[in-house]
């Protein structure tokens, strides 16, 4: 089986792919100091609890946290006896072009989302990912990544608001009952929720106008369904988009190696 690992700034997701579907998916907090042994104890106990007996023979990693790569490589070699593919490294080939300014390094997560979205939905896309940052990735008609937008993530904005204004509390992100808040929490929830609705709609509108062709909008990330409640922001929502992209990249590299 393929173990696909998506390591973000906040959480790390592990998914087992049997060649046809995801057998199971688990999530843990990202910690750059976590050792290969700790990863394995955690993974093996979860696999055992679900009676997953098939062994891992391949590993692919996408990470925005470079410090975790070493221990994930050790995990792959020591416990799964394989050399992992790491998205963004020269030996990991992509099935799409990356057309940005020379010298620009594109985040692996954005490349993986591009690959996954193009494979599932074709070209001329905007992929909106609600992670630690809220990112907009533009996929050309031939599947190439041609740029995008990065804005502060929802929870990051809430944390900054709380830290910068001592009188403002920590709050959960939720759809408020009305726009005009009658207390501090309602005011903050309204500002964050409807503010991000406006941000997403405006950026998508400007991308579409600049791109000059009809574009489908794909939403992903944990908070995407919440914001879809407030308005029709996305044509499609796909919570497994990143993991699907990792399986496509893994298959592409195997096919290329077999040529």
């Amino acid at each position: 089986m393929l173990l696909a690992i998506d390591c973000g700034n906040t959480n790390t997701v592990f998914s087992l792919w049997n060649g046809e579907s995801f057998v199971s998916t688990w999530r843990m907090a990202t910690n750059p100091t976590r050792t290969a042994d700790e990863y394995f104890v955690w993974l093996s106990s979860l696999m055992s609890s679900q009676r997953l007996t098939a062994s891992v023979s391949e590993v692919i990693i996408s990470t925005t946290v470079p410090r975790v790569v070493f221990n994930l490589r050790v995990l792959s070699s020591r416990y799964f006896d394989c050399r992992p593919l790491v998205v963004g490294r020269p030996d990991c080939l992509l099935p799409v072009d990356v057309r940005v300014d020379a010298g620009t390094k594109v985040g692996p997560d954005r490349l993986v989302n591009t690959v996954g979205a193009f494979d599932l939905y074709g070209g001329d896309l905007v992929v909106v990912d609600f992670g630690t940052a809220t990112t907009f990735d533009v996929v050309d008609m031939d599947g190439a990544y041609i740029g995008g937008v990065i804005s502060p993530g929802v929870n990051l904005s809430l944390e900054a608001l709380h830290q910068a204004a001592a009188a403002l509390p920590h709050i959960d992100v939720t759809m408020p009952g009305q726009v005009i808040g009658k207390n501090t929490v309602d005011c903050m929830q309204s500002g964050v929720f409807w503010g991000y609705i406006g941000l997403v709609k405006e950026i998508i509108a400007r991308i579409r106008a600049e791109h000059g062709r009809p574009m489908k909008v794909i939403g992903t990330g944990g908070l995407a369904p919440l914001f879809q409640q407030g308005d029709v922001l996305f044509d499609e929502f796909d919570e497994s988009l990143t993991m699907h992209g990792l399986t496509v990249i893994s298959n592409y590299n195997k096919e290329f190696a077999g040529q």
Side-chain angles (χ1 to χ4, degrees):
M1 283 195 295
L2 170 70
L3 176 62
I5 306 173
D6 173 37
C7 180
N9 291 295
T10 304
N11 292 310
T12 301
V13 180
F14 297 78
S15 287
L16 282 176
W17 173 259
N18 65 7
E20 296 180 356
S21 61
F22 288 110
V23 176
S24 195
T25 296
W26 306 290
R27 183 182 301 264
M28 65 161 35
T30 298
N31 179 358
T33 66
R34 187 172 284 117
T35 66
D37 300 329
E38 289 173 308
Y39 281 123
F40 181 71
V41 169
W42 180 79
L43 278 170
S44 59
S45 64
L46 287 170
M47 292 175 69
S48 177
S49 69
Q50 296 183 20
R51 295 187 171 91
L52 297 173
T53 57
S55 60
V56 172
S57 57
E58 306 166 70
V59 178
I60 184 169
I61 302 166
S62 169
T63 179
T64 56
V65 186
R67 288 176 58 201
V68 305
V69 173
F70 174 78
N71 282 315
L72 290 175
R73 282 186 180 275
V74 174
L75 169 72
S76 303
S77 60
R78 179 181 297 168
Y79 292 106
F80 303 130
D81 194 26
C82 67
R83 185 172 183 270
L85 275 174
V86 181
V87 179
R89 299 294 171 90
D91 61 337
C92 182
L93 306 177
L94 298 178
V96 301
D97 289 334
V98 180
R99 296 199 284 266
V100 295
D101 291 344
T104 300
K105 186 174 182 180
V106 180
D109 55 330
R110 308 182 76 182
L111 298 175
V112 173
N113 281 348
T114 296
V115 171
F118 180 65
D119 182 70
L120 291 171
Y121 306 106
D124 288 328
L125 305 174
V126 183
V127 181
V128 186
D129 189 349
F130 288 84
T132 304
T134 300
T135 59
F136 301 75
D137 298 318
V138 182
V139 184
D140 210 352
M141 63 186 303
D142 63 350
Y145 175 87
I146 58 172
V149 177
I150 302 174
S151 62
V154 178
N155 289 318
L156 194 62
S157 296
L158 283 172
E159 185 64 25
L161 190 62
H162 169 71
Q163 290 185 359
L168 297 181
H170 282 290
I171 64 167
D172 293 327
V173 185
T174 187
M175 182 178 176
Q178 57 188 32
V179 176
I180 302 173
K182 301 297 185 181
N183 55 64
T184 301
V185 170
D186 286 351
C187 289
M188 291 175 68
Q189 287 178 337
S190 183
V192 170
F193 184 85
W194 293 111
Y196 268 86
I197 293 284
L199 179 146
V200 172
K201 291 179 69 174
E202 181 66 17
I203 290 178
I204 288 172
R206 289 181 178 272
I207 289 173
R208 281 174 163 159
E210 193 170 293
H211 192 62
R213 288 193 301 270
M215 305 183 78
K216 183 178 286 188
V217 180
I218 314 300
T220 191
L223 290 176
L226 169 67
F227 287 96
Q228 185 80 330
Q229 294 180 61
D231 215 324
V232 182
L233 297 178
F234 317 120
D235 297 299
E236 302 282 352
F237 167 71
D238 193 332
E239 64 179 350
S240 300
L241 184 66
T242 304
M243 307 315 284
H244 177 75
L246 286 172
T247 68
V248 174
I249 294 171
S250 175
N251 286 335
Y252 180 77
N253 279 265
K254 284 193 293 184
E255 291 170 3
F256 189 88
Q259 291 178 355

